[in-house]
Amino acid sequence: MTLPLADAAQLLRDNFAPWVLDLALGVERTGEREAVLRLPWSDRLAREGGGLSGQALMAAADTAVVVAVASARGGFVPMTTVQQSITFQRPVLGADVLVHAVLTKVGKRMAFADVRMTAEGDQEPAAHATAVYALLG
């Protein structure tokens, strides 16, 4: 199954807190066990030194996994983050970030994901996250 892009965009509007929506994440692609979101560059998300803040990257990774699970399930299901770990590998300066979440395992009650975050135009990841979700519905 995959989630149509229009449905994925609606999922964001219907299920996320206003501050997450303020990140202006856009859904670029969905697949059977994946989703790619775009986190647009914003000076409002930069920390001292001008790099994109880790908090914005973590929120984007978390959101991308929700979209990937919804794509795998054919629509949104209630879920909650159980664990998320992230490594920051290089700063993002003045560029959008592509957030690629891939589900490594999806069961009846749990989902596991890898998330690669890359500044647009760069081949090397800016950050890498892993996440575990409890599926509640």
Side-chain angles (χ1 to χ4, degrees), residues 32-107:
E32 284 189 35
R33 295 171 70 112
E34 68 178 335
V36 177
L37 275 57
R38 177 180 296 272
L39 173 60
W41 172 262
S42 170
D43 289 336
R44 288 177 36 102
L45 301 177
R47 58 175 173 71
E48 90 296 326
L52 188 65
S53 72
Q55 294 91 337
L57 288 169
M58 288 192 79
D62 190 62
T63 305
V65 175
V66 172
V67 175
V69 171
S71 190
R73 290 288 181 100
F76 180 78
V77 295
M79 66 187 88
T80 189
T81 309
V82 173
Q83 182 274 336
Q84 184 180 23
S85 178
I86 192 166
T87 58
F88 302 104
Q89 299 174 7
R90 61 185 35 80
V92 176
L93 301 167
D96 289 2
V97 177
L98 297 175
V99 184
H100 187 186
V102 176
L103 302 179
T104 57
K105 179 175 172 47
V106 183

Side-chain angles (χ1 to χ4, degrees), residues 87-137:
T87 58
F88 302 104
Q89 299 174 7
R90 61 185 35 80
V92 176
L93 301 167
D96 289 2
V97 177
L98 297 175
V99 184
H100 187 186
V102 176
L103 302 179
T104 57
K105 179 175 172 47
V106 183
K108 290 181 181 181
R109 297 280 179 216
M110 301 291 287
F112 300 82
D114 269 331
V115 186
R116 181 182 165 125
M117 290 156 274
T118 308
E120 187 170 43
D122 199 349
Q123 296 300 312
E124 297 297 320
H128 174 260
T130 59
V132 180
Y133 283 70
L135 308 179
L136 308 173

